[in-house]
Amino acid sequence: MTRTLVTYASRMGGTEGIARAIADEMQRAGIDVDLRPAADVRSVTGYDAVVLGSAVYAGRWLRPARTLLKRLVASRPPADPPRVWLFHSGPLGTDRATDAVPVPARVAAAASALGADQPTTFGGRLEPATASGFLAGRMAKSDMAGDYRDFDRIIAWAAAIAAHLRGSTAGASS
C-alpha cells in the first residue's frame, strides 16, 4: 500500500481544512495517509508520497511549510525519493477565489528541484471571528471575508493524486 504524508502550514485553519479534505479523499481511494502539521514533520523517510500545502500571506508561504520544503530539497537524492505534490491557498473574494497565486520564487525553485509541479492554488478562507493580526483583521472587515475554498475542486485534485499513486503501485507490482 502506498504511504502518503499530507502536511500543511495554516495560520487560521483554512489551509488545514483543505489538507483534511485531501487526506480524507485519498483515504477513501485506498491510500494510507498520515495528516500532520508541517511544524511536526521531522522526516519523510518511509513515505512514498508527500502532499505539502501552505497558506500564502503577503506573497510568502508560512515558515513551517518553507522549512519542510527546504528539508525535502536538502535530502535529495535518496535512493527512492517520495513523489511530491504542492498546494497553497489564499485568494479571497468572489471574483478572485479561482485566481492563481503567484508562486514565491523559492517555492518555485524547490518544486523544480523536487521534480514536482508548481503549487496548485485553492481559494482561501478568512472569517472575522478568527482573523488575527492587523492585516487579516482589516481584510476580515472587507468584502474579502468569507470561505472561498472550492471543495469539489480540492477533492478532484486529491482523487487525481490518489489515482496516480494507485497506478504507480500497480505498475510497480506487475
Side-chain angles (χ1 to χ4, degrees):
M1 181 180 277
T2 302
R3 188 160 178 239
T4 301
L5 172 65
V6 176
T7 184
Y8 59 90
S10 184
R11 186 175 287 164
M12 291 178 266
T15 305
E16 178 181 359
I18 292 170
R20 285 186 185 285
I22 291 167
D24 289 348
E25 178 59 27
M26 293 180 77
Q27 285 175 329
R28 273 192 292 278
I31 305 296
D32 180 18
V33 176
D34 289 337
L35 175 67
R36 297 181 24 211
D40 293 348
V41 176
R42 298 292 168 246
S43 171
V44 296
T45 301
Y47 291 104
D48 302 300
V50 175
V51 178
L52 170 61
S54 179
V56 176
Y57 287 92
R60 294 181 62 154
W61 274 31
L62 297 177
R63 183 179 311 273
R66 291 191 324 258
T67 299
L68 181 54
L69 195 55
K70 285 180 197 174
R71 225 181 285 136
L72 284 167
V73 171
S75 68
R76 291 289 180 166
D80 191 17
R83 180 76 184 357
V84 177
W85 282 267
L86 305 170
F87 72 92
H88 52 211
S89 67
L92 299 169
T94 306
D95 58 337
R96 296 209 46 234
T98 58
D99 291 353
V101 170
V103 178
R106 290 185 180 163
V107 173
S112 181
L114 293 168
D117 292 337
Q118 293 301 309
T120 296
T121 301
F122 297 116
R125 183 191 82 183
L126 181 62
E127 301 295 339
T130 58
S132 63
F134 176 76
L135 184 57
R138 296 284 304 239
M139 291 169 59
K141 293 177 183 171
S142 74
D143 61 351
M144 297 173 96
D147 191 343
Y148 301 100
R149 297 171 298 175
D150 180 346
F151 283 98
D152 289 339
R153 186 167 165 258
I154 293 163
I155 289 167
W157 188 72
I161 293 171
H164 176 85
L165 292 172
R166 282 193 321 270
S168 294
T169 302
S173 61
S174 6

